């Protein structure tokens, strides 16, 4: 609990494959909600991040100017440049205005066959480029039903996190696959159990850095359940999909930290 008080929370929105130029207005609106009545931008009680599709990074960065909203990517290639048609490097995301990048989201792992080793290389790429890596882990429903949740998470963490991490440049997100986009969430007891285990693993491997690292919960977080989920020990913020698309909903989650 003591460690939790010291960790500044992060509420991160993952827009996934949603958003066109017009979606810029959501970031403008979010910025206004974070600093009401056009006063000098006030630091919200948590860090706020929006990860749009890469096509919108530059324009959302522009829209977020003067606010405390950070902009991030949703994935990156492990290499800095080269013959990889259609891919984007961490350096490119940074160049476009990103300061964070999500790696190893379960949709990337499932849709693109990303292994723990691939995710680890991407996290290393993020660090090479000077981005904060949000490394995602989480069990499927089948694994959960088989009682494998903690062992799956342990294996993913061992394989996906590079050595020598520090808490400033790495965030871990626990996202049970069965809770993503389904409206279902684990009980607070289950979230507490998994997050305590993740904290113990990080502490063992990364010592003080593991103790200070931010652990996000993700999977059907919405304004109505955010405060409860965020009050769980070792939960230092949220990774939000669907409810991050509209400024009003996303701000409702950020407000859980007010
Ligand atoms: P969701 O997605 O909030 O829509 O469940 C979370 C995520 O995939 O990051």
């Amino acid at each position: 609990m003591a460690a939790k008080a010291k960790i500044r929370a992060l509420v991160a929105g993952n827009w996934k494959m949603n958003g066109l130029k017009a979606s810029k207005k959501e970031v403008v609106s979010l910025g206004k909600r974070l600093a009401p009545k056009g006063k000098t931008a006030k630091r919200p009680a948590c860090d706020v991040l929006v990860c749009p599709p890469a096509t919108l990074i530059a324009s959302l960065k522009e829209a977020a100017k003067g606010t405390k909203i950070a902009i991030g990517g949703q994935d990156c290639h492990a290499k800095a440049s080269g013959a990889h048609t259609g891919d984007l490097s961490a350096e490119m995301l940074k160049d476009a205005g990103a300061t964070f990048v999500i790696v190893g989201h379960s949709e990337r792992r499932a849709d693109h066959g990303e292994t723990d080793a691939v995710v680890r290389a991407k996290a290393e790429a993020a660090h090479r480029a000077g981005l904060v890596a949000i490394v995602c882990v989480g069990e499927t429903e089948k694994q959960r039903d088989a009682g494998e949740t903690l062992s799956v998470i342990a294996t993913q963490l061992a394989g996906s996190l590079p050595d020598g991490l520090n808490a400033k440049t790495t965030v871990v997100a626990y996202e049970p696959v069965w809770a993503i986009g389904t409206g279902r969430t684990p009980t607070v007891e289950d979230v507490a159990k998994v997050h305590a285990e993740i904290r113990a693993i990080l502490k063992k491997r990364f010592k003080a850095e593991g103790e200070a690292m931010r652990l996000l919960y993700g999977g059907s977080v919405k304004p109505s359940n955010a405060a409860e989920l965020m009050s769980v020990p070792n939960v230092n913020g949220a990774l939000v999909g669907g409810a991050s698309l509209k400024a009003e909903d996303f701000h409702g989650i950020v407000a859980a930290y007010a």
Side-chain angles (χ1 to χ4, degrees), residues 14 16 105 107 175 179-181 219-221 239-242:
N14 171 12
K16 308 191 179 184
H105 189 280
E107 285 151 18
E175 298 204 301
I180 294 176
S220 297
V221 178
L239 181 52
V240 186

Side-chain angles (χ1 to χ4, degrees), residues 27-209:
V27 167
V28 172
S29 163
L30 181 61
K32 285 190 185 135
R33 286 164 199 270
L34 292 172
K37 299 191 176 59
K39 289 199 196 106
T40 334
K42 193 169 89 210
R43 221 164 131 77
C46 60
D47 291 335
V48 178
L49 167 69
V50 172
C51 299
T55 47
L56 294 178
I57 289 175
S59 72
L60 294 202
K61 183 76 178 179
E62 185 65 32
K65 232 189 199 143
T67 76
K68 294 288 178 188
I69 305 168
I71 304 296
Q74 299 174 10
D75 173 54
C76 66
H77 194 277
K79 301 247 174 72
S81 63
H84 302 286
T85 303
D87 279 316
L88 294 170
S89 69
E91 282 78 357
M92 290 168 176
L93 300 177
K94 170 122 196 239
D95 188 48
T99 48
F100 286 73
V101 62
I102 299 168
V103 295
H105 189 280
S106 63
E107 285 151 18
R108 298 288 316 173
R109 291 178 186 261
D111 295 354
H112 301 272
E114 291 188 5
T115 60
D116 290 333
V118 167
V119 176
R120 178 184 171 129
K122 291 183 175 201
E124 285 167 349
H127 293 150
R128 179 191 64 221
L131 299 179
V132 179
I134 301 179
V135 182
C136 303
V137 296
E139 84 286 1
T140 62
E141 183 151 42
K142 201 163 150 230
Q143 290 165 331
R144 176 181 185 246
D145 291 346
E148 294 167 3
T149 299
L150 296 182
S151 64
V152 166
I153 304 298
T155 303
Q156 288 179 333
L157 289 172
S160 306
L161 295 177
D163 291 328
L165 290 186
N166 74 66
K168 283 204 175 61
T169 58
T170 309
V171 175
V172 170
Y174 168 57
E175 298 204 301
V177 178
W178 53 271
I180 294 176
T182 59
R184 295 165 59 203
T185 51
T187 61
V188 290
E189 290 77 19
D190 284 346
V191 174
K193 199 163 136 196
V194 176
H195 277 244
E197 178 75 9
I198 295 174
R199 179 69 71 204
I201 289 170
L202 294 177
K203 260 162 71 173
K204 189 157 180 227
R205 183 165 164 202
F206 303 109
K207 315 293 182 241
E209 295 300 328

